[in-house]
Amino acid sequence: FMRKKGKKITWDDRQRIEQLTKVDMSIAMIAKDIGVSRTTIYNELARGGTPYSADYAQKNVNVGISK
């Protein structure tokens, strides 16, 4: 199933994305697992650096929120 449009990725989602990228799961499969679009995953991976880090991504989100 897909989440409602505009649904934010949570800290738990970010940890799951980090786990799945470490085992080389495809973007499409990660998107399906989390319940968001592939575009959302691509954007999240860009936010989290290389290799993807849930901590780094979360810090980037928190900085954006505090502005």
Side-chain angles (χ1 to χ4, degrees):
F1 82 103
M2 295 299 285
R3 292 184 180 178
K4 288 184 180 178
K5 190 169 185 166
K7 175 71 176 161
K8 302 290 187 223
I9 289 184
T10 65
W11 167 240
D12 288 339
D13 293 337
R14 289 191 171 90
Q15 289 179 306
R16 181 79 178 138
I17 292 167
E18 183 173 338
Q19 291 171 346
L20 297 176
T21 57
K22 285 180 180 175
V23 298
D24 294 325
M25 185 176 276
S26 73
I27 299 298
M29 291 301 294
I30 294 172
K32 188 173 182 178
D33 185 86
I34 302 293
V36 296
S37 72
R38 287 177 303 193
T39 301
T40 300
I41 298 299
Y42 279 113
N43 291 340
E44 184 59 27
L45 292 175
R47 178 180 292 123
T50 305
Y52 181 79
S53 164
D55 287 327
Y56 186 74
Q58 190 69 38
K59 286 175 185 167
N60 283 340
V61 170
N62 290 343
V63 166
I65 291 170
S66 66
K67 287 182 179 177

